[in-house]
Amino acid sequence: MVVLVLGSGAREHALVRSLTLDPSVDRVVALPGNPGIADLAGCLPGDPADPTAVVDAARSEGADLVVVGPEAPLVAGVADALQESGIPCFGPSAQAAALEGSKAFAKEVMAAAGVPTAAAHVCTTVDEVERALDATGSPYVVKEDGLAAGKGVVVTTDRARAREHATACLERADAVVVEDFLDGPEVSLFCLSDGRTVVALEPAQDFKRVGAGDTGPNTGGMGAYSPLTWAPTDLVPQVLDTVARPTVAEMARRGTPFVGVLYVGLALTADGPRVVEFNARFGDPETQVVLARLRTPLGVVLRSAAEGELSGLPELEWSPRTSVNVVVAAEHYPGTPATGDTIGGIEHAEQVEDVHVLHAGTRRETSTGDQPGGLVSSGGRVLSVVSLADDLPGARSRAYEAAGRITLRGSHTRPDIGLAAERGEVVVPGQEA
C-alpha cells in the first residue's frame, strides 16, 4: 500500500512515523511534509489545500490511500475531489467537515442528534453578543465561528475582553458563538468513522494555555499525555453512545456521511461528559501521544475507515505504557514567533530512552556546495518531544530531559504537562473522594 499524507506539522510527522511502521505500507509520501518527515518518506512540493494538485499527486505516486492531516484541505474539498477520482481518502467531505469549519453548524447538528453540550448563542451583531453575555454570565466563553487553528476561543472573566474578542470575530465572519462555561477537566477523544461504524482511540489530555497552571493566552497546544488514569472507566463507551455515534448517524441522515476522525473535545462535568467542540481531523498535540501507544498497524485502520470497512476491524491493541508530548515553542509564541533560528540537539534528545522528536515548524536552509543546509525554525510550535515510559512520572521525566537537550534561541516549553495528573490533583466533579 502507498499512502499520501497531507500536511507539514508534528501531527503529520506522527502519522508518517506510524504508517512507516505498518508492514502493509510499502511507501509513504507527504505533501508538502517537513525536514523530519523527509527522513522517513518522500516529500512533494505543493499546496495540500489545492484539490487538483492533491489528486494529481495521488495519481502520479500511485497512492492507494490519502490521509488528510490539517483542517484546511478538508474545508477546501480535497476529500470530495479524491472521492470523485476514485482514490480512497481518510478525511470527510467539505460538507461534513463543516462540523469543524462552523461552530454554529456543529451546535445545530448536536442539537438534532441530542448530544450533550454547552448551551450556546449564535450571534450576528454586537447587541446580540451583549445579550448572550448577560445570559451566560462569567466566565465568558466566546468562539470564532470558522477555522482558527485552535486559537479562536477566549475564556475570560473580563467582560470587556469577551466583547472585544466577539467584535473582532464579527469583523471576520457573519457569526460568533457565545457559550455557557463548562467546568471540569477536559479530555480529547478521537473517534474514527467510516460513515456508519465508529471506533474510538484512547483518550488524551492536552494543554492549550501557554503558561504553567493554565495561564496566558491560548495556543495550538503546548503538550499532551495519555492514558488518563483518573478518567471514569466507562468514559469511552459513554461518549461513543451519547456523542460520536449519534453525530455520525445524524450526518448520514443529512446525506453528508462523515468519514475520517471526529475529534471530540469534552469537559467532564458533574452532569457527565459535555462536548466543548468538534474537529474533523486528528488533533495536535494529542495525536503524537495517542499514536505512540497504538499497537495496531495504523495503515490498516485508516484504510478500513476510508473504504467503509471498520465493522470488520479487530479490536484495537494498545500499549499500557504512558506517553507525554512536550512542545518546544519559538520565542514570542503564541504571538508573532521568531523564525530562522538554528535548531540543535535533536539527535542528543533522541538518545534519551524511548523518546522521539517530531518536527512541526522547521525548515532546511539552502545547501551550499557539499554542505547540507542547517535546520532552522519556521513556525510557532517548532518540535514535539514524545516519550514512552511505564508510568506518568517516568514519561514526564524522559520528555523534559530530552526537551532540555534541544537548543533553540529563546525557545520555551510549558513545564507542567501532566503534572496535576502525576500529583493526583485532577478531579472530575461529582467523583471527589
Side-chain angles (χ1 to χ4, degrees), residues 129-379:
V129 168
E130 292 285 7
R131 289 194 291 272
L133 295 175
D134 287 339
T136 64
S138 177
Y140 305 104
V141 181
V142 181
K143 295 184 175 182
E144 189 156 348
D145 184 48
L147 298 178
K151 292 177 283 187
V153 180
V154 164
V155 181
T156 180
T157 57
D158 183 343
R159 181 164 177 141
R161 173 75 182 97
R163 185 172 56 248
E164 177 188 11
H165 181 63
T167 302
C169 290
L170 287 173
E171 290 173 354
R172 294 188 289 268
D174 294 333
V176 64
V177 177
V178 179
E179 289 187 356
D180 284 347
F181 176 74
L182 293 175
D183 199 9
E186 293 195 6
V187 172
S188 300
L189 184 66
F190 302 147
C191 297
L192 310 185
S193 169
D194 63 5
R196 299 182 304 275
T197 302
V198 184
V199 175
L201 303 187
E202 286 273 281
Q205 186 176 57
D206 76 329
F207 295 76
K208 285 287 193 292
R209 301 275 188 171
V210 71
D214 289 328
T215 57
N218 268 351
T219 71
M222 293 298 293
Y225 70 97
S226 177
L228 310 181
T229 57
W230 49 265
T233 56
D234 65 343
L235 176 64
V236 171
Q238 185 178 359
V239 174
L240 281 173
D241 288 342
T242 64
V243 177
R245 290 182 181 128
T247 299
V248 168
E250 173 63 18
M251 294 299 288
R253 187 191 68 78
R254 292 170 178 238
T256 53
F258 188 96
V259 176
V261 178
L262 180 65
Y263 169 119
V264 183
L266 298 160
L268 304 191
T269 74
D271 296 320
R274 296 289 183 269
V275 174
V276 175
E277 66 173 347
F278 283 150
N279 290 329
R281 38 73 193 180
F282 284 110
D284 183 339
E286 302 99 318
T287 298
Q288 291 89 306
V289 294
V290 172
L291 293 187
R293 298 184 54 235
L294 179 64
R295 285 178 170 170
T296 303
L298 181 64
V300 172
V301 176
L302 301 188
R303 187 166 188 173
S304 295
E307 297 184 344
E309 298 175 355
L310 273 182
S311 62
L313 191 71
E315 186 173 347
L316 301 181
E317 296 182 14
W318 296 93
S319 167
R321 305 180 82 198
T322 296
S323 182
V324 169
N325 173 15
V326 172
V327 170
V328 178
E331 185 178 25
H332 305 313
Y333 179 78
T336 303
T339 59
D341 291 312
T342 300
I343 302 166
I346 291 178
E347 291 183 1
H348 190 37
E350 290 187 325
Q351 291 173 359
V352 177
E353 185 179 1
D354 287 332
V355 164
H356 60 274
V357 178
L358 302 172
H359 292 230
T362 70
R363 64 175 174 83
R364 288 277 180 198
E365 292 185 312
T366 305
S367 58
T368 55
D370 295 332
Q371 296 297 317
L375 187 69
V376 298
S377 59
S378 65

Side-chain angles (χ1 to χ4, degrees), residues 374-420:
L375 187 69
V376 298
S377 59
S378 65
R381 293 185 295 173
V382 181
L383 300 167
S384 279
V385 180
V386 184
S387 67
L388 269 176
D390 291 338
D391 55 24
L392 183 54
R396 292 190 71 252
S397 176
R398 288 177 179 178
Y400 280 106
E401 179 185 350
R405 297 183 179 191
I406 291 169
T407 57
L408 172 63
R409 183 190 64 82
S411 64
H412 57 99
T413 61
R414 178 163 162 171
D416 62 343
I417 305 300
L419 180 59

